[in-house]
Every structure is written in structure tokens, then in C-alpha cells.
Amino acid sequence: MAKKTYDLLFKLLLIGDSGVGKTCVLFRFSDDAFNTTFISTIGIDFKIKTVELQGKKIKLQIWDTAGQERFHTITTSYYRGAMGIMLVYDITNGKSFENISKWLRNIDEHANEDVERMLLGNKCDMEEKRVVLKAKGEQIAREHGIRFFETSAKANINIEKAFLTLAEDILRKTPVKEPNSENVDISSGGGVTGWKNKCC
Amino acid sequence: MQGHQHPGEGEEKEELGPENAFEKSPFQLTAEDVYDISYVVGREILKISSEPQGEVPTRVAQLQFKIVRILEMLEALVNESNLTVEELKMERDNLKKEVEGLRKEGPPGNAEQLSLGPDKMIIDLTDPNRPRFTLQELRDVLQERNRLKAQLLITQEELQCYKSGISQREDQAGPMEKESTVCRPSGSSKSNEEKTIIKRLFSFKYGKRI
């Protein structure tokens, strides 16, 4: 018990077309649960999950964005503070896959240059409705030099693995120094003030 | 009458005598011509009364021709004017009907004719679900929501911290003091600002330790 809650705080962001399952992916990771009813995210939301990597407690603050175009101006203002971005598409929705290049452009425009990116092809439990081959996802990920997983929030496939891998990649780039989480300002861009670092 | 020159008084050559008014088409008559006709008729009547009786039948016959001509012209003008009045009445009625028709179709026709720009939309003010907040307002509400959510999480963590603190204390009375100080992040001045009600409650309860 004589320990702080976390050593590092990583800000992650989920983006992708509306309905691909960003919120479900996050809900599976944060609460290990799944809900079939589709409720469109209004603007932006976030969840917190603390994980342990290489002996360090890492608090993940994961921002979940609305995929709908009408929230675009609100959501893009959250790109800047993100250290890792998960770009999600739906393997049963060809359009969501075609739009990947659009989302990648958004990242180039609005996010930090050194942001860690990852591509997720979600709903991989629905094999009978698949329209995007796994090889296509792997190919586009390779072209952009980013990691790729096929996931299923419903069947709990690769969800934790994806988040932990992204966190590890960020951790690898993080300069090794005595953890001083007070430097992590999570309020930037997110408008979350008064978070600061916390007692146990 | 005074303004009229007699044919014999040396007027300009181009000007024809007052008799000429009788030769004109009634539709080209001017007020001048009517005065000329009036002059000629008056002159004839004067001659009848002043000249010897033997001349009268001839004079009357001449006057009769002139009067017949005048009546013909009057007839033509009256016919023409009646025709014009009829035409104008018809035109007026048609216009009235047209105006009424436009008034009836007016309001809906107007709304559709409202030419909207390429990026405009019409909002039905009676629709309870109509859009009515701005993006900035939504942004503010979301920031406030996320700020409160963050504070809730902090508070939950603090609560957890103090709960553990209590159980720790109950378990082992000795190292309690040490535990509770470790509980707070070392060197954090910020956390002092964040004294919640719970924290104050506990500091009251446990005195200076917290």
C-alpha cells in the first residue's frame, strides 16, 4: 500500500468512423464488459485504466471520440495531447476501411509528430459478414509503419493486447528518469483541470 | 371665339380655315377644332338672322349639313368611347382575378421560392427536437462533464486511500503514522490544494497526522 497509484500517465485517443466500435473497445478494456446497444458518443468522453508494465504502474487516460463528422471540430482539438492514437475500423464495413487514409491525414494535421499510432480492425468475431480481408489491414498498416490488430470487443479478442502493446511502445520512447508524474499535464487540450497527481 | 382668325384676315398659308375641322376624322379632333366648329356654326346662325328673308332657306340647308356632320362625329366618338370603357372594364376584372389568385396561393408559394444558399437549412421552430445549441456550448458542456468526471475519479481514489488507511490502522496500530504519510505523493504541493471534504473530515478525526 505504501505506493503511489501510478508512475506514468499516458494519454491515448480512439478515432475512426462512427459505429466501428471505439466505445465498445474501450469499455471492454476498462470495464471488461460489452453492450450491444449502439449509443453514439456525444463529442468526447474518457476512461481511466491503470496497468503495470515493466514494473511501472502506468495510468492510461483514454479519450473516446465521436466518429460522426459533426463533432469533428470538437474531437480534433483532443489529438494534440495524445501520446498514442488507436485508429479503429470495422471489418464488416468497407467504407470505414476506406476512410483510414482520411483519419491518418487528420492525425498528421492535428496530432503531435511523435504520436504512437495503431490500426485496429474491430468486430473480427463477425467472420460471416467480413468485407475487409485481414491482409488488407496488414498491408495498409505496413505501408504506414504502424502496428495492426484485428480485435473483437464482443468476443474479447486482442483488446487488452492492443492497449498494452500501444502503452509499451510509448513507454519505450519515454525517457528513462525517476518517475515524476507531476510533469504529466493531462489538462492540455482536454479541458480536464484539477486532475493532477494523486494520493494512492 | 376671340382667338380665332377669320379666313380673310391674312393668316399663315399652311393654316387651313375653321371649315376644315368638319373634314377631319372625329378621332383626330382637338379642342381647337371644336372651337372652330363652334365659330362656324355661330357665324351661320348670325347670317340667318341678319340677312334678307329670301336667303334663309339656303342658309338653313347649309347649316343643316354642318349639324349633321357634327352629330356624325359625336356618334363616332361616343361609340368609340363606349368600346374603350368596355375594354377597360374587362381588363380591370381580369387583373382583380389575377390578384386574388396570387393572394390565395401566396404564402406557401413564397416559402418554396425562398432561395437558400448552398450551405443553409430550414429549421422547423415547432419541432421539439430541433437543433438549438451551438458547437461551442456543446464543447463547454463536454469539458465541464469531463472535468467533473475527473474530479469524481480523484475523489474515489482518495476515498480508497483513506479506507485502506483506516483498515491499515485497525490492523496494526503502530506504523499508522508512517503509512498515512506515504499515502500521499511525496513532494506534491498540489495535492494540498485538493483537500476534499472527506480529507478535512479525516484530518479532523485523526488530527495532524493527515
Side-chain angles (χ1 to χ4, degrees):
Chain A
M1 133 140 212
K3 252 186 170 184
K4 282 198 294 177
T5 337
Y6 62 96
D7 304 306
L8 291 165
L9 185 133
F10 290 171
K11 286 176 78 175
L12 310 181
L13 186 75
L14 283 157
I15 62 171
D17 276 14
S18 177
V20 298
K22 297 179 291 297
T23 303
C24 288
V25 164
L26 179 52
F27 194 46
R28 170 62 76 188
F29 180 61
S30 65
D31 294 73
D32 194 22
F34 181 78
N35 196 338
T36 44
T37 53
F38 175 58
I39 301 163
S40 194
T41 302
I42 296 173
I44 186 118
D45 197 359
F46 77 96
K47 284 200 176 285
I48 297 287
K49 170 104 172 171
T50 306
V51 297
E52 194 156 342
L53 285 176
Q54 297 167 21
K56 287 190 168 62
K57 285 206 166 180
I58 298 170
K59 178 168 268 186
L60 301 177
Q61 184 189 48
I62 308 155
W63 291 92
D64 180 23
T65 63
Q68 291 175 342
E69 172 64 32
R70 59 197 180 120
F71 294 116
H72 193 245
T73 53
I74 288 181
T75 54
T76 48
S77 62
Y78 285 78
Y79 282 45
R80 196 169 42 86
M83 299 151 87
I85 295 181
M86 279 178 164
L87 203 177
V88 189
Y89 70 91
D90 170 2
I91 65 151
T92 71
N93 177 348
K95 188 77 194 157
S96 73
F97 183 73
E98 287 167 32
N99 281 335
I100 285 173
S101 53
K102 187 195 83 177
W103 290 111
L104 285 170
R105 266 202 310 281
N106 278 345
I107 295 175
D108 287 343
E109 259 178 63
H110 300 285
N112 290 336
E113 221 170 278
D114 60 343
V115 68
E116 203 58 48
R117 297 168 302 168
M118 175 177 277
L119 182 65
L120 299 184
N122 193 39
K123 308 196 187 177
C124 73
D125 58 291
M126 296 168 79
E127 197 55 56
E128 71 286 355
K129 286 190 177 170
R130 174 193 288 274
V131 295
V132 183
L133 293 175
K134 189 176 181 181
K136 295 270 270 178
E138 288 168 338
Q139 187 195 336
I140 201 165
R142 202 166 42 243
E143 282 168 15
H144 290 90
I146 57 180
R147 285 190 196 272
F148 170 67
F149 290 104
E150 278 200 343
T151 57
S152 167
K154 189 179 180 183
N156 197 7
I157 300 167
N158 277 341
I159 298 293
E160 190 168 34
K161 190 174 179 186
F163 279 101
L164 293 183
T165 307
L166 185 58
E168 268 171 9
D169 289 344
I170 297 168
L171 181 60
R172 201 166 298 124
K173 295 203 298 192
T174 307
V176 188
K177 58 174 184 183
E178 235 351 81
N180 184 2
S181 49
E182 285 165 69
N183 291 340
V184 185
D185 172 23
I186 70 147
S187 68
S188 67
V192 180
T193 53
W195 179 262
K196 291 153 194 158
N197 72 325
K198 271 305 62 313
C199 152
C200 327
Chain B
M1 285 284 142
Q2 289 110 322
H4 289 270
Q5 294 152 334
H6 293 205
E9 282 181 5
E11 72 243 37
E12 292 152 56
K13 277 182 186 169
E14 295 91 323
E15 225 170 88
L16 303 152
E19 310 280 348
N20 183 250
F22 289 88
E23 310 304 323
K24 289 176 89 172
S25 152
F27 308 117
Q28 284 167 350
L29 282 180
T30 62
E32 284 302 299
D33 295 326
V34 175
Y35 298 146
D36 282 349
I37 289 167
S38 169
Y39 165 74
V40 172
V41 170
R43 193 183 55 188
E44 299 286 318
I45 288 169
L46 207 70
K47 276 181 186 166
I48 290 170
S49 55
S50 59
E51 280 179 15
Q53 288 291 314
E55 301 279 335
V56 170
T58 340
R59 292 279 172 203
V60 168
Q62 279 176 353
L63 190 56
Q64 194 181 329
F65 281 117
K66 290 196 170 70
I67 287 169
V68 167
R69 176 68 191 141
I70 290 166
L71 290 172
E72 278 171 358
M73 288 200 273
L74 186 60
E75 182 191 24
L77 286 171
V78 166
N79 283 344
E80 169 70 11
S81 118
N82 283 350
L83 226 96
T84 311
V85 167
E86 277 310 303
E87 277 174 10
L88 286 172
K89 274 185 183 165
M90 274 166 69
E91 174 115 22
R92 180 200 61 190
D93 291 348
N94 283 343
L95 287 171
K96 261 189 191 168
K97 274 181 200 160
E98 209 172 312
V99 168
E100 273 169 31
L102 283 174
R103 274 195 189 138
K104 273 179 199 164
E105 295 165 24
N110 272 352
E112 274 167 41
Q113 277 174 359
L114 248 179
S115 61
L116 291 174
D119 297 323
K120 302 280 187 294
M121 70 170 181
I122 294 172
I123 292 172
D124 178 3
L125 292 177
T126 60
D127 177 6
N129 228 352
R130 67 184 183 274
R132 63 186 104 184
F133 300 109
T134 65
L135 198 62
Q136 188 54 50
E137 286 168 326
L138 176 62
R139 198 194 296 263
D140 293 345
V141 169
L142 287 173
Q143 283 188 2
E144 175 73 359
R145 194 268 309 260
N146 288 336
R147 194 178 60 78
L148 292 171
K149 195 168 161 180
Q151 284 184 347
L152 173 69
L153 290 171
I154 293 165
T155 311
Q156 281 175 339
E157 274 181 20
E158 276 185 19
L159 184 62
Q160 202 57 46
C161 169
Y162 287 109
K163 270 184 182 168
S164 320
I166 291 164
S167 62
Q168 197 82 23
R169 188 172 171 267
E170 281 164 356
D171 289 351
Q172 3 165 261
M176 183 57 218
E177 199 161 339
K178 212 180 277 174
E179 293 292 342
S180 55
T181 41
V182 188
C183 185
R184 293 171 52 180
S186 51
S188 164
S189 57
K190 283 176 184 173
S191 64
N192 289 334
E193 301 161 14
E194 305 228 306
K195 288 212 170 185
T196 60
I197 291 167
I198 294 169
K199 200 177 244 179
R200 267 184 255 126
L201 255 173
F202 274 84
S203 65
F204 170 75
K205 198 170 174 185
Y206 293 117
K208 299 240 167 186
R209 260 198 333 271
I210 294 188

